[in-house]
Amino acid sequence: MGVSEIELLFQRYVNMLDGAGLAKCLALAVASTAAWYLVYRLLDLIGGSADAVPANWSELGGWLLFWFTGTIYSALVLFRYLDSGNLSWRPIVVGLGGAFSYWIGVQYVMWQDPLDTVILDSAVAGVITAAFIGYLVIQFGTVRFAWWAFAFLCAGGALGGATIGWTGPGNEPGFIAGHAMWQILTCAALFHSPKSVLREG
């Protein structure tokens, strides 16, 4: 399969996402949460790390897999907002950006702990990560910035983050529900955000 065929398939995928209604978009957000959970359980077996950087080469595989969950969210939810006629390097940036947003949120809660309260720290992390993915689809996609839409996006991130902090990893059903809430609410907020004129170049 040549490069042009792969690009054509990817364009079709983005067009399929773009044509999906809200129910399908939310279903993809749920699928992203399910994928996150499967990876999360797999990491228990192979020793994945949430450290800022892997401690040694033997941890690299698990470390990359841990952050790959953010890329899954990008592929299932954020790629919808790419211009299929002008993809170029944008899917790579948005895909890596999804992983980086997860990295930012986890590092903020685990290592910064500025508010010394897990619920508030997680809520702030939820806002930061939601704002970052909003920036990605505004800067590199077809979403147009609007204060009300961005506020809803950040509010969804805060609710999801607070739920994660409230339940914590020790309460697995609640921990999963918090991740699902973050992904579903941010997905819904982006779906209702205004769209810009497609960029060129």
Side-chain angles (χ1 to χ4, degrees), residues 2 4 7 15-16 26 31 36 51 62 66 71 82 85 90 100 105 113 118 139 147 154 164 179 182 191:
S4 59
E7 185 176 0
N15 284 331
M16 181 272 294
L26 296 180
W36 162 82
D51 293 342
F66 185 87
T71 300
L82 295 175
R90 287 174 174 80
F100 185 61
D113 197 27
V118 176
Q139 182 65 31
W147 281 109
C154 291
I164 293 170
H179 279 81
W182 187 95
F191 183 88

Side-chain angles (χ1 to χ4, degrees), residues 2-193:
V3 174
S4 59
E5 292 173 311
I6 294 174
E7 185 176 0
L8 182 59
L9 286 174
F10 194 77
Q11 286 176 342
R12 288 176 179 169
Y13 174 69
V14 171
N15 284 331
M16 181 272 294
L17 292 177
D18 185 49
L22 178 60
K24 189 169 185 178
C25 290
L26 296 180
L28 288 170
V30 171
S32 176
T33 302
W36 162 82
Y37 179 71
L38 290 175
V39 172
Y40 175 71
R41 299 307 303 169
L42 177 61
L43 289 170
D44 286 343
L45 302 176
I46 65 173
S49 171
D51 293 342
V53 294
N56 53 60
W57 286 108
S58 65
E59 291 186 359
L60 183 61
W63 184 84
L64 289 173
L65 185 60
F66 185 87
W67 304 116
F68 177 67
T69 55
T71 300
I72 296 172
Y73 175 83
S74 289
L76 295 179
V77 177
L78 301 185
F79 281 7
R80 168 190 180 89
Y81 304 104
L82 295 175
D83 176 3
S84 62
N86 184 29
L87 291 171
S88 184
W89 40 265
R90 287 174 174 80
I92 296 172
V93 172
V94 173
L96 292 177
F100 185 61
S101 71
Y102 192 32
W103 185 89
I104 292 171
V106 172
Q107 300 314 309
Y108 180 87
V109 173
M110 290 185 64
W111 309 117
Q112 298 301 315
D113 197 27
L115 303 175
D116 203 29
T117 305
V118 176
I119 295 176
L120 289 178
D121 283 334
S122 296
V124 172
V127 172
I128 292 170
T129 53
F132 185 74
I133 64 161
Y135 167 79
L136 287 175
V137 293
I138 291 168
Q139 182 65 31
F140 303 108
T142 60
V143 173
R144 178 168 54 85
F145 178 79
W147 281 109
W148 64 267
F150 203 75
F152 276 118
L153 176 65
C154 291
L159 287 173
T163 303
I164 293 170
W166 176 59
T167 58
N171 178 0
E172 189 165 278
F175 193 54
I176 297 167
H179 279 81
M181 183 179 295
W182 187 95
Q183 297 204 19
I184 290 169
L185 290 177
T186 55
C187 176
L190 290 172
F191 183 88
H192 290 100
S193 296

